[in-house]
Amino acid sequence: MTQQPIQVIGGGLAGTEAAWQIAQAGIPVILHEMRPKRFSPAHHTEHLAELVCSNSFGAMASDRATGLLHEELRQLNSIVITKADEHAVPAGGALAVDRGQFSQELTETLSSHPLVEFRRGEVPAIPEGIVVLATGPLTSPDLAEDIRRLTGMEYLSFFDAASPIVVGESINRDIAFMASRYDKGEAAYLNCPMNKEQYLHFWEELRKAEQTELKDFERETAKFFEACLPIEEQSLRGEDTMRYGPLKPVGLSDSRTGERPYAVVQLRQEDKAGQLWNMVGFQTNLRWGEQKRVFRLIPGLENAEFVRLGVMHRNTFINAPQLMHPTLQFKQRPNLLAAGQLIGTEGYTAAAAGGCLAGINAARIALGKETLTLPPTTMMGALFEFISSASPKHFQPMPPNFGIFPELGVKIKNKQERYGKYRDRSLADLAHWIRNS
Ligand SMILES: Cc1cc2nc3c(=O)[nH]c(=O)nc-3n(C[C@H](O)[C@H](O)[C@H](O)COP(=O)(O)OP(=O)(O)OC[C@H]3O[C@@H](n4cnc5c(N)ncnc54)[C@H](O)[C@@H]3O)c2cc1C
């Protein structure tokens, strides 16, 4: 029986990697890319894996989150990271590339692979058979509509209005206290109390803080998001707007004084282990440096370490915790897989990582083998475990970070030393996984 080709839709970072992994497993693959017949608002070339903004794949050191992801991808023979290494340009500690050469060579490598058929043109609906969806944050409208038909209206988002996420151990617990408003249910929030003077200072600084420029297509989308106002926009509407919104102090008393604070910033637990905390209602367009400066004025967050800063931008992504397994298969259709920004991972390297696992598993389905989950102690495994098990109600995209890792057996206070141990454990576990899969 001749092998039906697997179809990969989208020739971005995730789709290019997925097609490569499938072809390397000996399975024919059709890679669909709509450019240059149709362009997304952010893409400008006809090449595969176009880097739409910065040319950096993040920090290179393997005891940093992206650096560890690079190492893991090297172990898995990723074509994206191989070509990034080959076309690297000096960028301090980051892995940055000559974007033109990088994309051009990936295009040539994939197009000349005997098992890859490269088809230019938009795919408006999800085909039958084994399919990997990798159409990214700017998925074409017809296909997005078809994904919505498959998954249900409420499981597809078009805009990412995400608040910053803070590492739990960087929050000052001498100031922040656990409580829910009116003591309802379990105490699920960390509360940072402010007195009047602290609040007014914070309000003044927030009003003055510098914002990022929205692109035209993002400004259009943002118009539909009046319900989710950026925190700085709320500050501009008046001195008390935030105190009647996300910073309202009602139903809370400061555990140290027993009194109601003037204002309260709440942080909601983001992961099962309670290592990550989301600043409730702090979706923002502020520049990243400004977010750090102004949000560290909040009592309890003086030394806050952010794993993700707030963003508001156009971003098509599915509710992965509701819809997907950590193998990157859809629960309702196991021969349909997805990867990249579409499943709620964030960043170039994470997109390539998703493409890598989705490609490996798509090929295994074609070969009649069981699909695989990566060890949760690896950065890839932890990321896919997170996106498939986070709270569906509050799901927002997540970049690679050490906050999503299972803890080590021993407590190591020194962060750099701890991250080094995470790295050692990850690379050993991945090598073992590769030998046994
Ligand atoms: C404006 C913008 C700037 C960003 N900047 C950065 C950054 O600087 N650094 C970073 O790490 N991350 C950045 N990101 C986030 C993200 O990492 C990138 O978008 C990344 O390219 C995602 O990879 P992907 O493979 O999921 O999607 P993409 O790289 O976008 O690839 C998806 C591909 O699918 C194609 N496609 C879409 N619909 C169809 C269809 N129906 N049929 C056929 N083809 C289709 C598209 O043309 C595209 O080539 C940015 C995102 C956006 C939107």
Side-chain angles (χ1 to χ4, degrees), residues 10 12-14 33-35 43 53-54 123 134-137 140 340-341 347-348 351:
L13 274 311
E33 169 51 56
M34 67 179 183
R35 293 174 286 127
H43 290 85
C53 186
S54 115
V123 177
T135 43
S140 71
Q341 195 92 359
Y348 299 151

Side-chain angles (χ1 to χ4, degrees), residues 222-239:
K223 274 190 212 151
F224 302 107
F225 244 70
E226 186 51 23
C228 198
L229 276 186
I231 191 75
E232 62 276 11
E233 181 65 31
Q234 297 186 44
S235 75
L236 292 172
R237 292 190 175 185
E239 180 183 314

Side-chain angles (χ1 to χ4, degrees), residues 9-16 32-35 38-40 42-43 47-58 121-125 134-144 215 217-218 313-315 339-342 345-349 351-352:
I9 310 176
L13 274 311
T16 302
H32 299 269
E33 169 51 56
M34 67 179 183
R35 293 174 286 127
R38 182 167 186 169
F39 281 95
S40 85
H43 290 85
H47 294 311
L48 291 176
E50 178 179 335
L51 304 179
V52 287
C53 186
S54 115
N55 65 338
S56 169
F57 283 80
E122 181 186 353
V123 177
T135 43
L138 303 168
T139 294
S140 71
D142 284 353
L143 185 64
K215 300 196 172 56
F217 66 90
E218 290 175 333
H313 58 201
R314 169 108 165 253
N315 189 4
Q341 195 92 359
L342 186 64
T345 62
E346 196 169 276
Y348 299 151
T349 315

Side-chain angles (χ1 to χ4, degrees), residues 149-301:
R149 257 194 297 275
L150 175 84
T151 58
M153 172 98 176
E154 67 274 36
Y155 297 128
L156 184 69
S157 304
F158 290 98
F159 200 78
D160 184 1
S163 302
I165 296 174
V166 180
V167 176
E169 66 181 2
S170 70
I171 301 171
N172 183 350
R173 306 292 174 108
D174 291 336
I175 296 177
F177 60 93
M178 288 292 294
S180 284
R181 285 207 165 88
Y182 301 108
D183 291 328
K184 273 197 200 142
E186 266 179 65
Y189 291 87
L190 265 176
N191 299 278
C192 297
M194 289 182 181
N195 60 31
K196 186 169 182 181
E197 192 189 337
Q198 289 165 331
Y199 174 80
L200 290 178
H201 179 50
F202 172 68
W203 174 64
E204 282 296 346
E205 290 301 317
L206 189 54
R207 279 154 49 91
K208 288 192 293 197
E210 234 186 299
Q211 300 188 22
T212 49
E213 271 292 308
L214 283 184
K215 300 196 172 56
D216 286 348
F217 66 90
E218 290 175 333
R219 208 167 292 119
E220 275 305 301
T221 324
K223 274 190 212 151
F224 302 107
F225 244 70
E226 186 51 23
C228 198
L229 276 186
I231 191 75
E232 62 276 11
E233 181 65 31
Q234 297 186 44
S235 75
L236 292 172
R237 292 190 175 185
E239 180 183 314
D240 282 327
T241 309
M242 292 189 297
R243 289 205 324 120
Y244 287 95
L247 272 68
K248 61 178 177 286
V250 296
L252 289 167
S253 52
D254 188 333
S255 51
R256 287 166 310 167
T257 62
E259 285 175 14
R260 183 161 118 175
Y262 190 73
V264 172
V265 172
Q266 289 200 302
L267 293 103
R268 187 181 50 234
Q269 191 171 322
E270 183 74 19
D271 62 328
K272 279 194 243 160
Q275 300 189 71
L276 302 177
W277 293 81
N278 188 309
M279 296 177 68
V280 179
F282 271 67
Q283 56 277 356
T284 174
N285 279 317
L286 293 187
R287 287 188 180 281
W288 288 9
E290 287 290 82
Q291 290 190 39
K292 289 183 188 168
R293 181 181 69 80
V294 178
F295 298 160
R296 284 182 182 147
L297 296 173
I298 297 167
L301 300 188

